[in-house]
Amino acid sequence: MVKEDLYQVLGVSKKATTEEIKKAYKKLARKYHPDVNPGDKKAEDQFKKVSQAYAVLSDPQKRAQYDQYGALFGEGQPPPGPGGQNVNFDFQGFDFSNAGGSSFGDIFSDLFGAFRGETGSAKRGKGRQSEVRMPERGQDILHPINIGFLDAIRGISTEIRIDRNIACTTCHGTGNAPNSAPRECPECHGTGQVNRSRGYMKFSSLCPACGGRGVIQTPCGTCGGRGTIRKSETISVKIPPGVDGGSKVRIAGKGNGGLNGGPDGDLYLTVNVAPHPIFKREGDNVLLVAPITVTEAALGSKIEVPTVDGAATMKIPPGTQSGQVFRLREKGAPSLRGGTRGDQLVEVKVVLPPVRDERTKEILRELDRLNPLNPREDILRYRS
């Protein structure tokens, strides 16, 4: 029993033209089609409703009957009673591949043909499919590469070994045996489409045997009809300076081979950077913790610290506190955007000397008498 107003289901007025009805249906069919919403029961139910509505409103006779009685009655059913009551609109067994004098297959081909690579004469519902395959670009390959911390900063050239599909040298990516003549597909009998059912609805889809072309050929004996063969290859790659963990480096044309003369895909290297014993990375900056003595912190000093470029001298001002951070300009990692370089941030950590004898203890006591200081004075103000 269809209770909704069919015009409201399609979102059109009762005065809508056939073209307006078709346009509204195509928009809703694209939105609710089961192939676009796999496993979505609500979308499937809504798709059934809009398909039922279009089946009636696209057919002039059925539309006229619906406009007059508000529903349809089939052969052998009693005519509608007063007010159009007790009337059923039965869609059971309805074939949506050819309804209302307009092929649903044509509409679905318009809606979804682009997703399946169908263009022009390759659309479904147009008779025999074209036996000429369009060139297809090869798929990209994602491959991990492990490098050291300093290699990521400075860049590195290395070799890696990958397995990839390349175009078959016998059939040149077509998948067909050389000089084989095309013949009609026995599965779809040359139409390029097969019918399938979903509940009580029937749809047309691309023939899986011929891929919608309507013809088949003897498969290539070298690649088994796939159009590609597997090859292990050693290639030279260059990792640019400044990469970090998770960076991707593109190697053009080193992905899987294309089909039917199409270009090869690309190889993308996913960079994994090993940790360093003393350096850490934060964006383009390099972090380092450097220990200093009490004397260096109190009186100031010049100290030598390691950087990714080698040793560098850094000035420690008098009165430096533990945890204080100093910046060495342009001693970090090069930016992948080019033209700039990060800094090295050095956090100093004051290390207390070991107290091994009474003389050392006396010196520390004398220091405390000469420079009385309560470092907890500020926080003691907040005691309860």
Side-chain angles (χ1 to χ4, degrees):
M1 178 78 70
V2 176
K3 297 181 180 180
E4 289 97 339
D5 184 291
L6 300 186
Y7 291 99
Q8 292 181 359
V9 171
L10 293 181
V12 298
S13 69
K14 293 187 177 181
K15 296 182 180 180
T17 65
T18 302
E19 187 60 30
E20 289 173 338
I21 291 173
K22 182 177 181 180
K23 183 178 180 180
Y25 169 71
K26 289 172 65 175
K27 180 179 179 180
L28 294 173
R30 182 195 299 272
K31 180 178 180 180
Y32 295 112
H33 195 280
D35 289 346
V36 179
N37 304 275
D40 190 335
K41 180 63 176 169
K42 291 184 179 180
E44 181 178 344
D45 292 341
Q46 190 63 29
F47 179 73
K48 293 177 182 178
K49 291 180 181 179
V50 299
S51 298
Q52 293 168 354
Y54 181 74
V56 175
L57 300 183
S58 62
D59 185 295
Q61 293 182 347
K62 292 180 180 179
R63 182 180 181 181
Q65 183 177 338
Y66 177 79
D67 289 343
Q68 183 175 0
Y69 298 108
L72 297 184
F73 58 94
E75 186 175 344
Q77 291 181 304
Q85 299 177 356
N86 303 322
V87 180
N88 289 332
F89 189 0
D90 186 7
F91 287 96
Q92 190 168 1
F94 189 81
D95 184 354
F96 287 97
S97 65
N98 188 13
S102 176
S103 172
F104 275 62
D106 289 347
I107 294 177
F108 291 157
S109 178
D110 292 338
L111 292 176
F112 304 104
F115 298 124
R116 297 188 173 96
E118 302 161 23
T119 57
S121 61
K123 289 183 178 180
R124 293 178 296 158
K126 302 296 183 182
R128 179 184 293 275
Q129 307 299 305
S130 171
E131 61 212 44
V132 178
R133 297 185 182 182
M134 298 297 293
E136 296 180 28
R137 181 182 181 274
Q139 293 183 337
D140 296 331
I141 296 176
L142 200 62
H143 185 82
I145 183 171
N146 301 318
I147 61 175
F149 185 91
L150 295 180
D151 290 333
I153 300 290
R154 301 166 181 167
I156 184 176
S157 295
T158 186
E159 291 184 341
I160 62 171
R161 192 168 185 82
I162 61 170
D163 293 326
R164 68 189 190 107
N165 296 328
I166 63 171
C168 175
T169 55
T170 301
C171 65
H172 304 289
T174 66
N176 302 321
N179 302 320
S180 63
R183 61 184 185 277
E184 183 180 280
C185 175
E187 184 74 18
C188 64
H189 304 292
T191 64
Q193 58 183 339
V194 292
N195 293 325
R196 60 187 178 92
S197 299
R198 185 186 291 272
Y200 53 77
M201 295 188 297
K202 297 178 182 178
F203 299 94
S204 295
S205 61
L206 286 179
C207 174
C210 65
R213 299 188 310 278
V215 294
I216 59 175
Q217 289 179 255
T218 302
C220 172
T222 302
C223 64
R226 294 183 299 273
T228 59
I229 55 176
R230 200 70 171 166
K231 180 183 179 182
S232 184
E233 184 177 356
T234 299
I235 61 174
S236 298
V237 297
K238 184 177 182 180
I239 306 300
V243 296
D244 201 355
S247 297
K248 287 184 172 60
V249 179
R250 173 176 171 264
I251 311 297
K254 289 299 182 180
N256 287 321
L259 299 177
N260 310 306
D264 292 347
D266 297 330
L267 169 65
Y268 287 89
L269 300 178
T270 303
V271 179
N272 300 315
V273 180
H276 193 275
I278 61 173
F279 295 122
K280 290 185 179 179
R281 183 85 175 263
E282 191 175 88
D284 291 336
N285 293 331
V286 174
L287 311 182
L288 172 72
V289 176
I292 60 174
T293 67
V294 173
T295 305
E296 290 171 333
L299 303 180
S301 179
K302 288 184 178 181
I303 64 172
E304 189 178 77
V305 295
T307 72
V308 294
D309 297 327
T313 301
M314 185 179 78
K315 183 178 180 181
I316 302 296
T320 295
Q321 300 294 323
S322 188
Q324 198 165 336
V325 178
F326 298 90
R327 184 183 298 270
L328 298 178
R329 298 284 181 184
E330 297 188 350
K331 292 294 185 180
S335 173
L336 290 174
R337 294 182 292 273
T340 61
R341 186 173 179 178
D343 303 326
Q344 177 164 312
L345 305 179
V346 181
E347 178 185 350
V348 295
K349 180 180 180 182
V350 178
V351 179
L352 297 177
V355 180
R356 295 189 177 96
D357 51 43
E358 285 299 322
R359 175 62 179 158
T360 303
K361 292 180 182 179
E362 183 60 31
I363 292 174
L364 292 174
R365 293 189 187 103
E366 181 67 16
L367 176 65
D368 188 50
R369 284 193 296 269
L370 294 174
N371 297 278
L373 173 67
N374 184 357
R376 296 172 296 282
E377 183 178 355
D378 288 341
I379 65 173
L380 289 176
R381 292 183 303 167
Y382 297 97
R383 61 187 174 186
S384 56

